[in-house]
Amino acid sequence: MSALPEPTAEDRARARFFTATSGQPATDEQRAAVTRINEAVVALAVVIEANTPSSRNKSIALTALEDVSMRANRSIFATGPLA
C-alpha cells in the first residue's frame, strides 16, 4: 500500500478539468510535441479534404481528427491521478 493519501473528489475533478490557466506553463518539449501532433493532424486533414467528396462521413472523419488532436494535447499536459 502507498503511504500517499488518496486523492479527494475535488483533486480528481481538478485533474480531469484543468485548463491552460490552471495548469503549469508549457515546457519547450511540450510545445514541440504539440507542434508535431498538429502537423501530423493537419497533414492527414489535407489528404482527407483533397481525396474525399463532401459527405457526412468526411465531416465525421475531420471531427474525429479534432478529437485526436485535443486528446493528444491534453495527454501532453495532464498530471495527477488521471495522467
Side-chain angles (χ1 to χ4, degrees):
M1 290 189 60
S2 174
L4 297 175
E6 282 293 315
T8 65
E10 183 174 349
D11 293 337
R12 291 189 302 273
R14 288 191 184 284
R16 179 177 292 263
F17 298 106
F18 67 91
T19 65
T21 58
S22 65
Q24 298 295 319
T27 65
D28 289 341
E29 184 178 271
Q30 288 169 323
R31 282 191 202 92
V34 168
T35 298
R36 287 190 302 273
I37 289 166
N38 188 60
E39 288 171 354
V41 167
V42 168
L44 184 53
V46 168
V47 172
I48 292 169
E49 286 283 358
N51 294 286
T52 62
S54 293
S55 66
R56 183 167 191 277
N57 284 322
K58 179 179 185 173
S59 178
I60 290 169
L62 294 170
T63 299
L65 280 179
E66 290 174 344
D67 191 51
V68 165
S69 178
M70 184 260 315
R71 292 183 186 283
N73 287 330
R74 281 187 58 88
S75 72
I76 290 169
F77 296 102
T79 60
L82 300 176

